[in-house]
């Protein structure tokens, strides 16, 4: 079974999450192509998709949204899992409303969507991003839970290996 895992990251946390998910899928014996959404020209030949994006100001990145638009019919015809990474402006990386990115997810009807907390390092943000994050109440820190990511990746792999 051939899987396309594509993820759009702003400051590296989503890339880290995607790499862990790819590792879990490969450990289950699945063939995985891992790339950025803007680098995908064709999705022919894939049996399933895992899509991820940083949540940037309550939305998926433009690159991730563009990917879902370009390949919407293929995504609707195959199993899709989706993940988001971001703090959503809440203390300790808690996510209150994972459906703020709902329009893009509703258009592809994923098997599952999960939001993983990310990290907030003001030192890597520009002034505008820092201001928005502070106004939203973001707490500085690294809230990535790679064990939770591994568990989710393993559950996706198990579902795919068991034929959905």
């Amino acid at each position: 079974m051939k899987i396309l895992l594509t993820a759009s990251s702003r400051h590296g946390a989503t890339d880290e999450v995607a790499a862990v998910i790819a590792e879990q899928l490969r450990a289950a014996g699945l063939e995985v192509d891992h790339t950025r959404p803007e680098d995908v020209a064709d999705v022919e030949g894939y049996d399933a998709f895992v899509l991820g994006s940083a949540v940037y100001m309550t939305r998926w990145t433009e690159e991730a949204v563009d990917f879902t638009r370009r390949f919407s019919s293929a995504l609707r015809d195959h199993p899709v899992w989706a993940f988001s990474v971001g703090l959503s402006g809440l203390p300790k990386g808690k996510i209150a409303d994972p459906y703020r990115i709902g329009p893009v997810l509703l258009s592809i009807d994923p098997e599952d969507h999960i939001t993983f907390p990310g990290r907030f390092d003001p030192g890597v943000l520009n002034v505008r991003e820092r201001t928005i994050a502070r106004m939203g109440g973001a707490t500085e820190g690294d809230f990535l839970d790679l064990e939770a990511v591994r568990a989710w990746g393993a559950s996706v792999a198990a579902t795919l290996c068991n034929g959905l």
Side-chain angles (χ1 to χ4, degrees), residues 22-161:
E23 184 180 280
Q24 293 300 305
L25 297 172
R26 288 182 184 123
L30 299 166
E31 182 182 345
V32 180
D33 288 340
H34 177 190
T35 190
R36 295 188 175 286
E38 63 270 25
D39 295 336
V40 178
D42 184 21
V43 296
E44 191 69 33
Y46 291 104
D47 300 301
F49 301 90
V50 178
L51 314 177
S53 178
V55 176
Y56 185 71
M57 295 176 33
T58 74
R59 301 183 194 284
W60 268 19
T61 67
E62 281 302 314
E63 296 84 359
V65 172
D66 179 63
F67 176 88
T68 64
R69 285 186 190 131
R70 286 187 292 137
F71 301 111
S72 61
S73 63
L75 296 173
R76 282 192 298 271
D77 292 342
H78 292 83
V80 176
W81 282 262
F83 67 94
S84 302
V85 179
L87 298 176
S88 292
L90 297 173
K92 303 291 185 205
K94 302 271 187 230
I95 304 301
D97 183 7
Y99 300 103
R100 286 185 148 168
I101 55 148
V104 72
L105 293 178
L106 289 172
S107 71
I108 59 174
D109 192 25
E111 304 291 323
D112 188 25
H113 169 258
I114 190 167
T115 301
F116 297 108
R119 66 171 68 97
F120 176 48
D121 177 359
V124 300
L125 305 178
N126 65 38
V127 173
R128 180 175 176 263
E129 292 170 325
R130 278 195 307 271
T131 301
I132 291 167
R134 294 283 185 215
M135 286 174 37
T139 302
E140 187 173 342
D142 184 345
F143 306 104
L144 280 176
D145 181 351
L146 296 181
E147 286 307 312
V149 174
R150 281 184 191 89
W152 188 77
S155 75
V156 171
T159 302
L160 285 166
C161 289

